[in-house]
Structure formats: C-alpha cells, structure tokens
C-alpha cells in the first residue's frame, strides 16, 4: 500500500492523471467512504469501467483490507480524509463524486451521534462545495431509513416517512433527510448535477464481522456456532439487496439523463421477517446454533420493502441476485475470511 497513510502531495500521487493532460483524460471519480462495505465494491466497479478512482475515507468503519486488492492499480488512489473537513485543494478535478461516507450500522452510527450528524450535514456540504468548484456530478447515498417506521407499505419515493427526530436513530435518519434537503437546495441554487439514491438494506462480502447489522451478525454467529440473536419476536421485516445489484443500480443512476431527478429507491423487494432470515442462515450454513431473543432496540422499524417502479422505469434496473444465492456468496466470503484470519494469527494466540 504505497501512499495510503503518508502525508500526500498530488504531484507524487497523481502522475497518471497529470500525464493525460495532453491527451484524452479519463474521468475521475471520487468515492467518499470508498474503504467501506458498499464503497469498496463501488470503487472496484468504477475501476472496471475505466475511471480514475480517488477513495476518500477516514477509516472509522472502513478497512484497508476492503481495498487492498485495488491498491496495485495505477488508476486507484487512497486519501485518508474526514469529510467533515474541507476536501483538500491539491487533488485533481473530480468529474463525479459518489458520497458514501457515513457509518450505516445502528451500532456504529450511534457510537458518536454528533459525529454522524456532522458527517450528514457538514460532510455533505463539503462534498457539494467541492462539486460546485469542479463541476462534478454528485451521487448522494441516502437511505430507506428516511422513511423511518413507515405507515405505508411498500415505500415509494413520494412517501414522506415517519421519523422520531429525537430518538436514538435520529442522527442518521434525520441526518440523511437533512442531507437530501441540502443536496436538493444546493443543486437548485448552483446548477450542479445531482442524483440521490435511497438505498434499502444491502448485504454481501466485506461487511465487517462486528458491523452489527442483522445479516453479518447472523452469518458470523452461525459460522462460529454461537446463538443467533433475534431482536424482539423477529416478526419485523426487511428486504435485503445483494451488493452487486445495488452497485449496478448506483452506476445506472449516476449515468442517467438530467430528467431523472429526485430520489430513487434501490433495493430488493423480496421481503422476509428477521426470524425467517435467521432460519435461512442456519439452513444455508448447516450450523447447529440456536436462535435466541434479545430486546428490540428503540424505534426499530417494523417493516420495510422498497417500491422500485421508478428505478425499473427510469434506469431499466432490477435486482438479479435472489436472497438465497446472495447469502450463499456472503457466507462463503465470511467463512474464507475467518479461515484466513485463523491462519495468520500468531500460534500463541490461536492455540
Ligand atoms: P460502512 O460503514 O461499511 O461504510 C462507510 C464508510 O464511510 C467507511 O469506510 C467509513 O470509514 C467511512 N466514513 C464514515 N464517516 C466518514 C467521514 N466523516 N469521512 C470520511 N469517511 C467516513 O457502511 P456501508 O454499508 O458501506 O454504507 C455506505 C453508505 O451507504 C452510507 O452513506 C450509508 O448511509 C449508505 N447506506 C447503506 C445501506 C446498507 O444497507 N449497507 C443502506 C442505506 C444506506
Ligand atoms: N436485528 C436482529 N439481530 C441482530 C441485528 C439486528 O434481530 O443481531 C434486527 C434489527 O432489530 C432490525 C433488523 O434486524 O429489526 C435489521 O437490523 P439492521 O441493523 O441490519 O438494519 P436496520 O435496522 O438499519 O434496517
């Protein structure tokens, strides 16, 4: 990993971009939160499309391991950076900014709620100001959490949500709602090109083992032979989207014409209760773990399923990976990672 944690200087780290000044310049995409779960898959997909990719991340929930395999590419650059601070001036001009920086798991976004709110407000403003300077298109990662504990089902983009502004989830739910407002007003006033994606529960390889979200928890617990922790009675529902499908939708949205404006839901409408998800993980892992109940967190949404009519029509997008298949891929990846970690542990620790 050259350059990743050293103080940087654009003359050293962007020679490839400078070299292209005389000829055709590849498009430069900045991905904030690029070392995170979704962000790392997005960086990979953008590199495959021939972009120069600049990953900006403060590594608060992201990991070098998620992007290590990309570091050898001369088209990939990592800048350790907290978006609550202004984006450094001496970076190349960004054609596109994918703003994915923000902790997404309730455990992590509630660990420092003020920081989460600042990331959604000041962080987004910094991204927008940079986009205005560079003339970049912005794709803002919003969330189904802006619908809160929804009173309508499934949730379409015109539904305005039911959110507790002072609850434990508010820093994130209200933060992301404010971010949508800020992005929309900023784009109206400055003319920057803006896309907003409302992401529903997404899962897949590279979620942290201690991420705290339900799929990673169940998979880690099942593989370790530990109890699967179902919060409440497990009757609450979610609709889980495999990460490759989600990234495909994000790329389509970013490339969509200007008349595709306003937020777009992306998610898999295959709805399942949390208890059913626990049983499915047990079946697919062949684990003998038990299912146990734990208290339901405050303000936990009872149900969630995306209405994706808009994405289907405007982006010609639909999720292709069924939950079973995505879970098998996820379980395999977690099992591989667990095996690698065990092998690389010093003998005195693993004994
Ligand atoms: P993640 O925690 O794996 O990734 C977030 C990344 O952002 C991490 O690499 C983290 O280090 C980085 N980050 C956090 N705060 C930062 C800051 N202030 N400055 C710079 N970097 C910062 O989470 P994820 O699941 O990959 O989510 C990525 C984005 O997608 C988030 O914006 C989240 O709100 C959105 N989203 C995710 C889901 C989902 O189900 N995974 C659902 C809805 C929305
Ligand atoms: N959940 C659970 N066990 C866990 C983690 C989460 O039963 O170990 C539940 C949680 O209460 C919620 C659902 O699973 O009802 C999805 O939780 P997650 O944190 O993954 O996403 P979000 O609540 O943000 O949709």
């Amino acid at each position: 990993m050259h350059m990743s944690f050293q103080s940087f200087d654009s003359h050293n780290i962007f020679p490839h971009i400078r070299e292209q000044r005389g000829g055709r310049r590849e498009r430069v995409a900045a991905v904030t939160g690029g070392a995170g779960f979704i962000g790392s898959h997005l960086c990979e997909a953008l590199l495959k499309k021939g972009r120069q990719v600049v990953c900006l991340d403060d590594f608060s929930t992201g990991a070098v391991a998620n992007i290590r395999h990309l570091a050898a590419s001369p088209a990939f650059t990592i800048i350790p950076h907290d978006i609550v601070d202004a984006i450094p001036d001496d970076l190349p001009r960004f054609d596109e900014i994918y703003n994915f920086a923000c902790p997404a798991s309730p455990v992590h976004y509630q660990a420092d709620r003020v920081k989460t709110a600042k990331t959604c407000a000041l962080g987004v403003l910094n991204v927008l100001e940079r986009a205005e300077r560079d003339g970049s298109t912005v794709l803002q990662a919003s969330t189904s959490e802006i619908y809160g504990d929804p009173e309508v089902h499934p949730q379409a983009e015109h539904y305005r949500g039911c959110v507790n502004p002072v609850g434990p989830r508010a820093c994130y739910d209200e933060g992301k709602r404010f971010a949508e407002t800020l992005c929309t007003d900023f784009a109206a006033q400055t003319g920057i090109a803006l896309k907003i994606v409302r992401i529903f529960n997404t899962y897949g390889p590279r979620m942290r083992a201690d991420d705290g979200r339900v799929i990673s928890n169940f998979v880690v617990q099942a593989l370790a032979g530990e109890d699967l922790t179902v919060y409440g009675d497990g009757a609450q529902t979610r609709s889980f989207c495999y990460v490759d499908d989600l990234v495909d939708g994000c790329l389509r949205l970013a490339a969509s014409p200007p008349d595709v404006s306003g937020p777009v839901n992306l998610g898999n409408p295959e709805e399942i209760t949390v208890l059913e998800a626990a049983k499915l993980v047990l079946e697919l892992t062949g684990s003998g773990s038990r299912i146990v109940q734990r208290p339901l967190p405050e303000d936990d949404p009872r149900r969630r399923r995306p209405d994706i009519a808009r994405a289907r029509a405007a982006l010609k997008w639909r999720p292709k990976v069924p939950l079973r298949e995505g879970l098998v891929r996820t379980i395999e990846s977690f099992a591989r990672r667990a095996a690698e970690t065990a092998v690389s542990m010093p003998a005195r620790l693993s004994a």
Side-chain angles (χ1 to χ4, degrees):
M1 294 283 296
H2 53 288
M3 110 293 265
S4 54
F5 295 106
Q6 298 152 11
S7 62
F8 59 87
D9 146 11
S10 58
H11 295 284
N12 294 329
I13 60 177
F14 295 110
H16 44 288
I17 293 173
R18 287 194 309 132
E19 271 164 23
Q20 292 171 353
R21 277 196 184 140
R24 200 170 78 84
R25 176 183 171 280
E26 296 301 337
R27 285 175 72 78
V28 180
V31 181
T32 74
F37 160 51
I38 299 178
S40 62
H41 288 275
L42 184 59
C43 287
E44 202 172 299
L46 286 164
L47 285 168
K48 278 195 191 129
K49 284 176 88 70
R51 299 283 199 281
Q52 302 282 338
V53 176
V54 179
C55 162
L56 295 145
D57 203 296
D58 71 354
F59 293 92
S60 49
T61 56
V64 174
N66 288 342
I67 46 175
R68 184 170 285 130
H69 63 298
L70 305 178
S73 165
F76 186 64
T77 307
I78 304 163
I79 308 289
H81 178 72
D82 182 340
I83 60 162
V84 169
D85 302 321
I87 295 174
D89 278 337
D90 58 345
L91 302 180
R93 189 176 72 74
F94 300 141
D95 299 287
E96 301 160 356
I97 307 180
Y98 295 81
N99 187 33
F100 279 67
C102 189
S105 162
V107 175
H108 293 291
Y109 70 63
Q110 290 172 13
D112 184 346
R113 297 183 196 176
V114 173
K115 177 65 194 288
T116 300
K118 282 167 85 173
T119 298
C120 293
L122 303 175
V124 173
L125 184 59
N126 283 324
V127 165
L128 292 168
E129 285 178 341
R130 178 53 179 251
E132 184 185 14
R133 197 196 82 175
D134 286 5
S136 341
T137 297
V138 171
L139 183 116
Q140 167 65 12
S142 189
T143 167
S144 55
E145 294 279 332
I146 66 106
Y147 299 121
D149 189 10
E151 305 126 310
V152 302
H153 197 69
Q155 294 79 49
E157 288 86 351
H158 56 75
Y159 175 54
R160 294 186 185 173
C162 174
V163 174
N164 176 0
V166 291
R169 299 173 83 96
C171 58
Y172 184 74
D173 300 4
E174 294 288 15
K176 289 282 186 177
R177 286 171 72 92
F178 176 72
E180 287 197 10
T181 309
L182 184 58
C183 286
T184 305
D185 290 342
F186 194 95
Q189 286 182 208
T190 62
I192 65 158
L194 169 71
K195 306 287 178 183
I196 297 175
V197 53
R198 289 188 182 150
I199 303 170
F200 283 65
N201 297 63
T202 300
Y203 70 99
R206 299 198 201 127
M207 295 183 87
R208 287 165 60 131
D210 67 349
D211 180 88
R213 279 174 285 187
V214 67
I215 296 294
S216 47
N217 272 9
F218 286 172
V219 170
V220 169
Q221 289 162 343
L223 290 174
E226 292 166 5
D227 294 343
L228 270 61
T229 52
V230 166
Y231 300 163
D233 61 7
Q236 69 272 35
T237 69
R238 293 295 185 272
S239 306
F240 297 102
C241 184
Y242 190 66
V243 66
D244 289 359
D245 281 334
L246 191 271
V247 167
D248 173 42
C250 290
L251 294 180
R252 284 170 190 252
L253 180 59
S256 63
D259 62 316
V260 180
S261 62
V264 178
N265 285 344
L266 289 182
N268 190 328
E270 200 182 336
E271 186 178 2
I272 183 172
T273 69
V274 165
L275 185 58
E276 284 164 350
K279 289 179 180 162
L280 185 55
V281 169
L282 287 184
E283 180 201 323
L284 296 175
T285 50
S287 168
S289 293
R290 294 179 312 153
I291 294 177
V292 298
Q293 276 192 8
R294 294 284 176 267
L296 186 69
E298 193 181 333
D299 290 342
D300 199 273
R302 280 161 298 172
R303 54 193 185 158
R304 188 181 291 145
R305 177 155 77 97
D307 178 330
I308 57 166
R310 182 138 206 255
R312 277 181 183 274
L315 311 178
K316 307 278 170 266
W317 175 85
R318 64 177 175 84
K320 298 194 181 102
V321 183
L323 181 59
R324 254 176 187 275
E325 188 183 325
L327 275 178
V328 169
R329 292 189 207 172
T330 306
I331 290 163
E332 283 169 0
S333 124
F334 271 82
R336 242 188 338 266
R337 198 166 61 184
E340 283 163 13
T341 313
V343 169
S344 64
M345 259 209 276
R348 64 192 159 76
L349 291 180
S350 54

